[in-house]
Amino acid sequence: MFNRMQIMLTIILMVIIGAIIGGVTNALAIKMLFRPYKTLYVGKWRVPFTPGLIPKRRDELAEQMGKMVVNHLLTPESIQRKFLNEGFEKEFTGVVQKEMANFLKTTKSPAELLEKFGVMDVQGKTEKRLNEAIAQKYENLMENYREQPLKHIVPGDLIGKVNEKIPSISTFILQKGIDYFSSYEGYLRIQRMADDFLKERSGVLGSMMQMLMGNINIADKIQPEIIKFLKNEGTADIITTLLKNEWEKVLEWKAVKIEEQFKKENVLSFIKNSVNKVIKLDHYFQAPISNLADPYRTEIIETLASNTVKLLSDWLSNRVDELMKRLRLQEIVRDQVETFSVERLEEMVLSITKSELKMITYLGALLGGIIGLFQGIIALFI
Protein backbone atom coordinates (compact mmCIF):
# COMPACT_ATOMS: atom_id res chain seq x y z
CA MET A 1 0.00 0.00 0.00
CA PHE A 2 2.80 2.37 0.91
CA ASN A 3 4.60 1.60 -2.33
CA ARG A 4 1.52 2.39 -4.38
CA MET A 5 1.08 5.74 -2.65
CA GLN A 6 4.75 6.48 -3.21
CA ILE A 7 4.44 5.61 -6.91
CA MET A 8 1.34 7.80 -7.32
CA LEU A 9 2.99 10.75 -5.56
CA THR A 10 6.10 10.34 -7.71
CA ILE A 11 4.05 10.34 -10.91
CA ILE A 12 1.92 13.31 -9.79
CA LEU A 13 5.01 15.21 -8.70
CA MET A 14 6.71 14.60 -12.05
CA VAL A 15 3.54 15.67 -13.89
CA ILE A 16 3.37 18.89 -11.86
CA ILE A 17 7.08 19.59 -12.32
CA GLY A 18 6.81 18.87 -16.08
CA ALA A 19 3.74 21.15 -16.39
CA ILE A 20 5.48 23.94 -14.49
CA ILE A 21 8.62 23.60 -16.60
CA GLY A 22 6.61 23.51 -19.87
CA GLY A 23 4.40 26.47 -18.95
CA VAL A 24 7.22 28.62 -17.58
CA THR A 25 9.46 27.78 -20.55
CA ASN A 26 6.81 28.86 -23.06
CA ALA A 27 5.91 31.98 -21.06
CA LEU A 28 9.59 32.88 -20.85
CA ALA A 29 10.04 32.30 -24.57
CA ILE A 30 7.10 34.63 -25.30
CA LYS A 31 8.53 37.28 -23.00
CA MET A 32 11.91 36.95 -24.66
CA LEU A 33 10.35 38.03 -27.94
CA PHE A 34 10.23 41.56 -26.50
CA ARG A 35 12.29 41.54 -23.30
CA PRO A 36 14.68 42.91 -22.47
CA TYR A 37 14.18 46.04 -24.54
CA LYS A 38 17.88 46.90 -24.53
CA THR A 39 21.17 45.05 -24.62
CA LEU A 40 22.40 44.07 -21.14
CA TYR A 41 26.09 43.94 -20.18
CA VAL A 42 28.02 42.49 -17.30
CA GLY A 43 31.14 44.56 -17.44
CA LYS A 44 32.13 44.36 -21.10
CA TRP A 45 30.44 41.02 -21.59
CA ARG A 46 27.08 41.14 -23.40
CA VAL A 47 24.42 39.02 -21.81
CA PRO A 48 23.18 36.44 -24.39
CA PHE A 49 19.72 36.82 -25.91
CA THR A 50 19.61 40.54 -25.14
CA PRO A 51 17.85 42.51 -26.36
CA GLY A 52 14.74 40.49 -27.20
CA LEU A 53 14.10 39.16 -30.69
CA ILE A 54 11.73 41.90 -31.85
CA PRO A 55 13.74 44.87 -30.42
CA LYS A 56 16.89 43.37 -31.96
CA ARG A 57 15.36 42.98 -35.40
CA ARG A 58 12.92 45.91 -35.38
CA ASP A 59 14.36 47.44 -38.57
CA GLU A 60 13.99 44.15 -40.41
CA LEU A 61 10.48 43.79 -38.99
CA ALA A 62 9.56 47.27 -40.24
CA GLU A 63 10.94 46.44 -43.69
CA GLN A 64 9.04 43.16 -43.86
CA MET A 65 5.80 44.75 -42.64
CA GLY A 66 6.09 47.38 -45.39
CA LYS A 67 6.55 44.65 -48.01
CA MET A 68 3.68 42.62 -46.56
CA VAL A 69 1.28 45.56 -46.72
CA VAL A 70 2.19 46.43 -50.32
CA ASN A 71 2.55 42.89 -51.67
CA HIS A 72 -0.28 41.13 -49.85
CA LEU A 73 -2.69 43.59 -48.20
CA LEU A 74 -2.96 46.85 -50.17
CA THR A 75 -2.24 45.50 -53.63
CA PRO A 76 -3.20 47.43 -56.80
CA GLU A 77 -5.55 44.59 -57.75
CA SER A 78 -7.42 44.67 -54.42
CA ILE A 79 -7.81 48.45 -54.52
CA GLN A 80 -8.89 48.32 -58.17
CA ARG A 81 -11.55 45.74 -57.31
CA LYS A 82 -12.75 48.02 -54.53
CA PHE A 83 -13.10 51.01 -56.86
CA LEU A 84 -14.95 48.94 -59.45
CA ASN A 85 -17.24 47.34 -56.88
CA GLU A 86 -20.84 48.41 -57.53
CA GLY A 87 -21.69 48.61 -53.84
CA PHE A 88 -18.68 50.80 -53.09
CA GLU A 89 -19.47 53.07 -56.05
CA LYS A 90 -23.08 53.43 -54.91
CA GLU A 91 -22.02 54.20 -51.33
CA PHE A 92 -19.38 56.67 -52.50
CA THR A 93 -21.94 58.36 -54.78
CA GLY A 94 -24.27 58.82 -51.82
CA VAL A 95 -21.48 60.46 -49.80
CA VAL A 96 -20.56 62.78 -52.68
CA GLN A 97 -24.21 63.74 -53.25
CA LYS A 98 -24.66 64.55 -49.56
CA GLU A 99 -21.52 66.68 -49.43
CA MET A 100 -22.41 68.38 -52.71
CA ALA A 101 -25.92 69.19 -51.43
CA ASN A 102 -24.42 70.78 -48.31
CA PHE A 103 -21.91 72.72 -50.41
CA LEU A 104 -24.63 74.09 -52.70
CA LYS A 105 -26.44 75.51 -49.66
CA THR A 106 -23.55 77.76 -48.70
CA THR A 107 -24.13 81.51 -48.68
CA LYS A 108 -20.50 82.20 -49.50
CA SER A 109 -19.69 83.60 -52.92
CA PRO A 110 -17.19 82.03 -55.36
CA ALA A 111 -14.85 84.95 -54.67
CA GLU A 112 -14.89 84.24 -50.91
CA LEU A 113 -14.19 80.54 -51.43
CA LEU A 114 -11.33 81.26 -53.80
CA GLU A 115 -9.83 83.67 -51.26
CA LYS A 116 -9.59 80.75 -48.82
CA PHE A 117 -7.39 79.00 -51.40
CA GLY A 118 -5.20 82.07 -51.68
CA VAL A 119 -6.72 83.41 -54.91
CA MET A 120 -7.29 87.09 -54.16
CA ASP A 121 -9.28 89.63 -56.20
CA VAL A 122 -10.38 86.96 -58.65
CA GLN A 123 -13.02 89.24 -60.19
CA GLY A 124 -10.53 92.01 -60.89
CA LYS A 125 -8.01 89.56 -62.35
CA THR A 126 -10.68 87.95 -64.54
CA GLU A 127 -11.87 91.33 -65.81
CA LYS A 128 -8.28 92.27 -66.60
CA ARG A 129 -7.67 89.02 -68.50
CA LEU A 130 -10.98 89.40 -70.33
CA ASN A 131 -10.20 92.98 -71.36
CA GLU A 132 -6.73 91.92 -72.52
CA ALA A 133 -8.29 89.13 -74.59
CA ILE A 134 -10.81 91.55 -76.12
CA ALA A 135 -8.03 94.02 -76.98
CA GLN A 136 -5.93 91.25 -78.54
CA LYS A 137 -8.89 89.95 -80.52
CA TYR A 138 -9.69 93.48 -81.69
CA GLU A 139 -6.11 93.99 -82.88
CA ASN A 140 -6.14 90.67 -84.74
CA LEU A 141 -9.41 91.51 -86.45
CA MET A 142 -8.33 95.01 -87.39
CA GLU A 143 -5.09 93.69 -88.91
CA ASN A 144 -7.16 91.54 -91.25
CA TYR A 145 -10.04 93.95 -91.97
CA ARG A 146 -8.67 97.48 -91.42
CA GLU A 147 -8.60 98.30 -95.17
CA GLN A 148 -11.82 96.47 -96.07
CA PRO A 149 -15.27 98.15 -96.31
CA LEU A 150 -17.72 97.44 -93.53
CA LYS A 151 -20.13 95.68 -95.91
CA HIS A 152 -17.49 92.93 -96.26
CA ILE A 153 -17.02 92.71 -92.52
CA VAL A 154 -20.51 93.11 -91.05
CA PRO A 155 -22.49 89.83 -91.30
CA GLY A 156 -25.05 89.82 -94.09
CA ASP A 157 -27.83 88.91 -91.67
CA LEU A 158 -27.09 92.01 -89.61
CA ILE A 159 -27.11 94.24 -92.71
CA GLY A 160 -30.45 92.75 -93.75
CA LYS A 161 -31.94 93.32 -90.30
CA VAL A 162 -30.80 96.96 -90.28
CA ASN A 163 -32.33 97.49 -93.74
CA GLU A 164 -35.59 96.02 -92.47
CA LYS A 165 -35.54 98.26 -89.41
CA ILE A 166 -34.88 101.55 -91.31
CA PRO A 167 -38.62 102.25 -92.01
CA SER A 168 -39.38 101.59 -88.34
CA ILE A 169 -36.54 103.91 -87.32
CA SER A 170 -37.89 106.58 -89.67
CA THR A 171 -41.38 106.23 -88.14
CA PHE A 172 -39.89 106.40 -84.65
CA ILE A 173 -37.96 109.60 -85.44
CA LEU A 174 -41.02 111.28 -86.94
CA GLN A 175 -43.22 110.25 -84.02
CA LYS A 176 -40.72 111.69 -81.56
CA GLY A 177 -40.72 114.93 -83.62
CA ILE A 178 -44.53 115.04 -83.57
CA ASP A 179 -44.59 114.44 -79.82
CA TYR A 180 -42.02 117.16 -79.24
CA PHE A 181 -43.60 119.87 -81.40
CA SER A 182 -47.05 119.02 -80.03
CA SER A 183 -45.84 119.67 -76.51
CA TYR A 184 -45.69 123.02 -74.76
CA GLU A 185 -41.93 122.90 -74.86
CA GLY A 186 -42.07 122.46 -78.64
CA TYR A 187 -44.52 125.32 -78.94
CA LEU A 188 -42.16 127.63 -77.04
CA ARG A 189 -39.30 126.48 -79.22
CA ILE A 190 -41.27 127.43 -82.36
CA GLN A 191 -42.10 130.79 -80.83
CA ARG A 192 -38.45 131.55 -80.07
CA MET A 193 -37.40 130.53 -83.55
CA ALA A 194 -40.06 132.78 -85.10
CA ASP A 195 -39.07 135.74 -82.93
CA ASP A 196 -35.40 135.22 -83.82
CA PHE A 197 -36.33 135.09 -87.49
CA LEU A 198 -38.21 138.42 -87.35
CA LYS A 199 -35.48 140.09 -85.34
CA GLU A 200 -32.88 139.13 -87.93
CA ARG A 201 -35.03 140.75 -90.57
CA SER A 202 -35.64 144.10 -88.93
CA GLY A 203 -35.83 145.97 -92.23
CA VAL A 204 -38.80 146.54 -94.52
CA LEU A 205 -39.58 142.80 -94.84
CA GLY A 206 -39.70 142.35 -91.09
CA SER A 207 -41.90 145.42 -90.58
CA MET A 208 -44.31 144.28 -93.29
CA MET A 209 -44.61 140.78 -91.77
CA GLN A 210 -45.23 142.15 -88.27
CA MET A 211 -47.86 144.52 -89.71
CA LEU A 212 -49.60 141.72 -91.61
CA MET A 213 -49.57 139.33 -88.62
CA GLY A 214 -50.80 141.97 -86.23
CA ASN A 215 -51.55 140.46 -82.83
CA ILE A 216 -51.60 136.90 -84.15
CA ASN A 217 -48.98 134.65 -82.54
CA ILE A 218 -46.91 133.24 -85.37
CA ALA A 219 -46.26 130.02 -83.37
CA ASP A 220 -49.99 129.22 -83.50
CA LYS A 221 -49.77 129.19 -87.28
CA ILE A 222 -46.48 127.33 -87.65
CA GLN A 223 -47.02 124.55 -85.10
CA PRO A 224 -49.90 122.80 -86.96
CA GLU A 225 -48.00 123.01 -90.23
CA ILE A 226 -44.92 121.41 -88.77
CA ILE A 227 -46.98 118.60 -87.28
CA LYS A 228 -48.83 118.18 -90.55
CA PHE A 229 -45.53 117.95 -92.38
CA LEU A 230 -44.20 115.35 -90.01
CA LYS A 231 -47.33 113.22 -90.37
CA ASN A 232 -47.21 113.29 -94.17
CA GLU A 233 -46.33 109.97 -95.82
CA GLY A 234 -43.99 111.74 -98.16
CA THR A 235 -41.96 112.97 -95.19
CA ALA A 236 -41.61 109.39 -93.96
CA ASP A 237 -40.40 108.34 -97.40
CA ILE A 238 -37.86 111.17 -97.43
CA ILE A 239 -36.49 110.24 -93.98
CA THR A 240 -36.38 106.55 -94.91
CA THR A 241 -34.53 107.30 -98.13
CA LEU A 242 -32.05 109.54 -96.31
CA LEU A 243 -31.40 106.90 -93.67
CA LYS A 244 -30.89 104.21 -96.32
CA ASN A 245 -28.49 106.42 -98.24
CA GLU A 246 -26.49 107.19 -95.11
CA TRP A 247 -26.46 103.53 -94.14
CA GLU A 248 -25.13 102.60 -97.57
CA LYS A 249 -22.41 105.23 -97.19
CA VAL A 250 -21.47 103.84 -93.79
CA LEU A 251 -21.18 100.33 -95.26
CA GLU A 252 -18.71 101.69 -97.78
CA TRP A 253 -16.50 102.98 -95.00
CA LYS A 254 -13.28 101.13 -94.42
CA ALA A 255 -12.87 99.69 -90.95
CA VAL A 256 -10.03 102.10 -90.27
CA LYS A 257 -12.48 105.00 -90.60
CA ILE A 258 -14.36 103.72 -87.55
CA GLU A 259 -11.16 104.18 -85.55
CA GLU A 260 -10.67 107.63 -87.04
CA GLN A 261 -14.24 108.73 -86.38
CA PHE A 262 -14.68 107.33 -82.89
CA LYS A 263 -11.06 106.90 -81.71
CA LYS A 264 -9.58 103.47 -81.09
CA GLU A 265 -9.70 103.89 -77.30
CA ASN A 266 -13.40 104.74 -77.37
CA VAL A 267 -14.22 101.80 -79.65
CA LEU A 268 -12.32 99.39 -77.40
CA SER A 269 -13.92 100.86 -74.29
CA PHE A 270 -17.38 100.46 -75.81
CA ILE A 271 -16.71 96.82 -76.74
CA LYS A 272 -15.27 96.00 -73.31
CA ASN A 273 -18.18 97.62 -71.48
CA SER A 274 -20.70 95.82 -73.69
CA VAL A 275 -19.04 92.43 -73.11
CA ASN A 276 -18.80 93.01 -69.36
CA LYS A 277 -22.48 93.95 -69.21
CA VAL A 278 -23.42 90.77 -71.02
CA ILE A 279 -21.18 88.46 -68.97
CA LYS A 280 -21.87 90.15 -65.59
CA LEU A 281 -18.76 88.92 -63.78
CA ASP A 282 -19.81 90.59 -60.53
CA HIS A 283 -22.96 88.47 -60.54
CA TYR A 284 -21.04 85.21 -60.87
CA PHE A 285 -18.26 86.05 -58.42
CA GLN A 286 -20.15 87.98 -55.72
CA ALA A 287 -23.53 86.20 -55.62
CA PRO A 288 -23.98 83.36 -53.06
CA ILE A 289 -23.27 79.92 -54.45
CA SER A 290 -26.72 78.80 -53.27
CA ASN A 291 -28.33 81.38 -55.59
CA LEU A 292 -26.10 80.54 -58.55
CA ALA A 293 -26.66 76.80 -58.21
CA ASP A 294 -30.37 76.89 -57.39
CA PRO A 295 -31.63 76.43 -61.00
CA TYR A 296 -29.28 73.47 -61.50
CA ARG A 297 -29.35 71.93 -57.99
CA THR A 298 -31.18 68.71 -58.91
CA GLU A 299 -29.12 68.09 -62.01
CA ILE A 300 -25.85 68.75 -60.15
CA ILE A 301 -26.67 66.46 -57.22
CA GLU A 302 -28.25 63.60 -59.13
CA THR A 303 -26.47 63.59 -62.48
CA LEU A 304 -23.17 65.42 -62.03
CA ALA A 305 -22.29 63.69 -58.74
CA SER A 306 -22.97 60.22 -60.16
CA ASN A 307 -21.00 60.87 -63.35
CA THR A 308 -18.13 62.43 -61.39
CA VAL A 309 -17.84 59.40 -59.09
CA LYS A 310 -17.90 57.03 -62.06
CA LEU A 311 -15.24 59.00 -63.94
CA LEU A 312 -13.10 59.28 -60.80
CA SER A 313 -13.42 55.57 -60.06
CA ASP A 314 -12.44 54.64 -63.61
CA TRP A 315 -9.55 57.09 -63.56
CA LEU A 316 -8.22 55.86 -60.21
CA SER A 317 -8.68 52.17 -61.05
CA ASN A 318 -6.56 52.60 -64.17
CA ARG A 319 -3.82 54.44 -62.29
CA VAL A 320 -3.74 52.64 -58.93
CA ASP A 321 -0.39 51.02 -59.63
CA GLU A 322 1.23 54.33 -60.53
CA LEU A 323 -0.38 56.14 -57.60
CA MET A 324 0.81 53.52 -55.13
CA LYS A 325 4.34 53.79 -56.49
CA ARG A 326 4.22 57.54 -56.09
CA LEU A 327 2.78 57.27 -52.56
CA ARG A 328 5.55 54.80 -51.62
CA LEU A 329 3.35 52.95 -49.14
CA GLN A 330 6.10 50.50 -48.31
CA GLU A 331 8.34 53.32 -47.12
CA ILE A 332 5.47 54.92 -45.18
CA VAL A 333 4.72 51.68 -43.30
CA ARG A 334 8.42 51.01 -42.68
CA ASP A 335 9.11 54.52 -41.39
CA GLN A 336 6.00 54.44 -39.20
CA VAL A 337 6.94 51.10 -37.62
CA GLU A 338 10.50 52.28 -37.04
CA THR A 339 9.16 55.21 -35.03
CA PHE A 340 7.22 52.89 -32.69
CA SER A 341 8.77 52.23 -29.32
CA VAL A 342 9.38 48.59 -28.38
CA GLU A 343 6.81 48.95 -25.61
CA ARG A 344 4.20 50.02 -28.16
CA LEU A 345 5.07 47.17 -30.50
CA GLU A 346 4.72 44.74 -27.60
CA GLU A 347 1.40 46.27 -26.62
CA MET A 348 0.14 46.04 -30.20
CA VAL A 349 1.17 42.41 -30.67
CA LEU A 350 -0.14 41.32 -27.26
CA SER A 351 -3.46 43.12 -27.80
CA ILE A 352 -3.96 41.08 -30.99
CA THR A 353 -2.53 37.71 -29.88
CA LYS A 354 -3.15 37.78 -26.13
CA SER A 355 -5.53 34.82 -26.04
CA GLU A 356 -3.38 32.78 -28.46
CA LEU A 357 -0.21 33.42 -26.41
CA LYS A 358 -2.02 32.27 -23.28
CA MET A 359 -3.04 29.11 -25.06
CA ILE A 360 0.61 28.54 -26.03
CA THR A 361 1.58 28.87 -22.36
CA TYR A 362 -1.17 26.45 -21.31
CA LEU A 363 -0.20 24.09 -24.11
CA GLY A 364 3.40 24.13 -22.85
CA ALA A 365 2.17 23.27 -19.37
CA LEU A 366 -0.02 20.47 -20.77
CA LEU A 367 2.81 19.01 -22.84
CA GLY A 368 5.16 19.33 -19.87
CA GLY A 369 2.65 17.49 -17.69
CA ILE A 370 2.21 14.73 -20.27
CA ILE A 371 5.98 14.38 -20.60
CA GLY A 372 6.28 14.24 -16.78
CA LEU A 373 3.61 11.52 -16.72
CA PHE A 374 5.48 9.40 -19.26
CA GLN A 375 8.76 10.05 -17.39
CA GLY A 376 7.18 8.85 -14.16
CA ILE A 377 5.84 5.68 -15.79
CA ILE A 378 9.16 4.97 -17.48
CA ALA A 379 11.01 5.58 -14.21
CA LEU A 380 8.84 2.92 -12.51
CA PHE A 381 9.71 0.30 -15.09
CA ILE A 382 13.37 1.14 -14.91
Side-chain angles (χ1 to χ4, degrees):
M1 185 68 180
F2 177 78
N3 289 334
R4 289 183 179 179
M5 288 293 295
Q6 189 177 10
I7 292 170
M8 290 298 296
L9 286 174
T10 301
I11 292 174
I12 292 173
L13 183 62
M14 294 189 73
V15 168
I16 293 173
I17 293 173
I20 293 173
I21 292 172
V24 171
T25 301
N26 280 12
L28 182 62
I30 292 171
K31 286 292 183 181
M32 288 179 67
L33 290 173
F34 302 94
R35 309 290 180 90
Y37 298 140
K38 298 179 180 180
T39 304
L40 301 179
Y41 290 91
V42 177
K44 294 183 179 181
W45 180 71
R46 183 175 70 87
V47 178
F49 307 110
T50 63
L53 178 63
I54 290 178
K56 184 177 182 180
R57 308 184 69 175
R58 182 172 63 175
D59 293 342
E60 185 179 344
L61 175 65
E63 184 71 26
Q64 292 302 320
M65 286 186 69
K67 290 181 179 179
M68 180 183 67
V69 170
V70 173
N71 296 333
H72 303 287
L73 300 179
L74 293 178
T75 63
E77 293 77 15
S78 64
I79 296 176
Q80 188 176 40
R81 286 196 300 271
K82 186 67 175 178
F83 278 125
L84 296 177
N85 182 271
E86 186 177 346
F88 171 78
E89 187 173 314
K90 186 176 180 181
E91 182 181 354
F92 191 33
T93 300
V95 173
V96 172
Q97 287 178 332
K98 182 179 179 181
E99 293 301 321
M100 197 169 284
N102 293 332
F103 174 76
L104 294 178
K105 292 179 182 178
T106 181
T107 56
K108 294 184 180 296
S109 66
E112 290 175 323
L113 289 178
L114 289 171
E115 285 179 1
K116 289 188 175 182
F117 290 97
V119 183
M120 311 302 291
D121 191 25
V122 63
Q123 181 179 338
K125 292 177 180 177
T126 304
E127 287 179 354
K128 182 180 178 182
R129 293 287 181 85
L130 179 60
N131 290 335
E132 289 174 353
I134 292 172
Q136 185 62 46
K137 189 68 175 177
Y138 174 83
E139 289 296 335
N140 294 339
L141 288 173
M142 290 303 292
E143 285 181 8
N144 295 327
Y145 300 109
R146 184 171 273 112
E147 297 301 325
Q148 294 190 31
L150 292 179
K151 64 182 179 182
H152 294 164
I153 302 173
V154 178
D157 293 343
L158 180 58
I159 294 175
K161 288 180 180 179
V162 173
N163 288 331
E164 292 175 3
K165 290 292 183 180
I166 286 177
S168 301
I169 296 171
S170 175
T171 301
F172 176 78
I173 292 172
L174 290 173
Q175 186 58 50
K176 287 297 181 182
I178 293 170
D179 294 340
Y180 176 75
F181 287 111
S182 298
S183 66
Y184 182 69
E185 181 183 355
Y187 177 83
L188 293 178
R189 180 68 177 175
I190 295 170
Q191 181 65 56
R192 285 196 298 272
M193 291 172 65
D195 292 341
D196 292 340
F197 177 79
L198 293 175
K199 286 179 182 179
E200 291 175 359
R201 288 154 181 80
S202 57
V204 178
L205 179 60
S207 300
M208 287 178 64
M209 290 183 66
Q210 287 181 352
M211 183 175 63
L212 290 171
M213 298 297 295
N215 294 327
I216 298 174
N217 191 336
I218 193 171
D220 292 334
K221 297 293 184 179
I222 297 175
Q223 185 185 41
E225 295 302 322
I226 293 176
I227 294 172
K228 182 180 179 181
F229 173 78
L230 293 175
K231 289 182 177 180
N232 190 282
E233 292 183 3
T235 306
D237 292 338
I238 293 171
I239 298 298
T240 300
T241 302
L242 290 173
L243 289 175
K244 285 183 176 179
N245 291 337
E246 292 303 316
W247 173 238
E248 292 295 332
K249 291 178 182 178
V250 170
L251 290 176
E252 294 295 333
W253 287 2
K254 291 183 178 180
V256 69
K257 191 171 183 180
I258 299 294
E259 286 187 338
E260 294 173 355
Q261 291 288 332
F262 301 102
K263 303 297 182 185
K264 177 181 175 180
E265 295 76 12
N266 295 334
V267 174
L268 264 176
S269 178
F270 172 76
I271 296 173
K272 290 175 182 178
N273 291 334
S274 300
V275 172
N276 287 327
K277 286 180 181 179
V278 172
I279 296 179
K280 297 180 180 177
L281 290 176
D282 57 336
H283 170 71
Y284 292 107
F285 284 112
Q286 302 303 330
I289 289 177
S290 56
N291 293 350
L292 295 174
D294 190 59
Y296 318 101
R297 186 181 303 277
T298 303
E299 185 176 357
I300 291 173
I301 293 175
E302 295 182 0
T303 305
L304 182 62
S306 178
N307 292 339
T308 300
V309 170
K310 185 170 181 58
L311 288 172
L312 183 61
S313 297
D314 292 342
W315 184 86
L316 287 174
S317 64
N318 292 328
R319 293 168 175 80
V320 169
D321 195 15
E322 182 181 352
L323 289 173
M324 290 185 67
K325 287 179 181 178
R326 292 182 178 275
L327 287 173
R328 298 180 180 176
L329 291 179
Q330 182 175 332
E331 294 182 13
I332 293 175
V333 174
R334 183 195 64 199
D335 295 341
Q336 190 67 25
V337 173
E338 286 179 349
T339 61
F340 290 167
S341 63
V342 180
E343 292 87 345
R344 186 177 179 186
L345 282 174
E346 181 182 14
E347 183 182 348
M348 289 172 59
V349 173
L350 292 179
S351 65
I352 298 171
T353 62
K354 186 175 182 179
S355 58
E356 286 77 8
L357 293 177
K358 281 186 178 180
M359 290 302 298
I360 291 173
T361 302
Y362 296 151
L363 180 61
L366 177 61
L367 292 176
I370 293 173
I371 292 172
L373 175 63
F374 278 106
Q375 284 178 338
I377 296 172
I378 293 171
L380 289 176
F381 285 104
I382 292 176

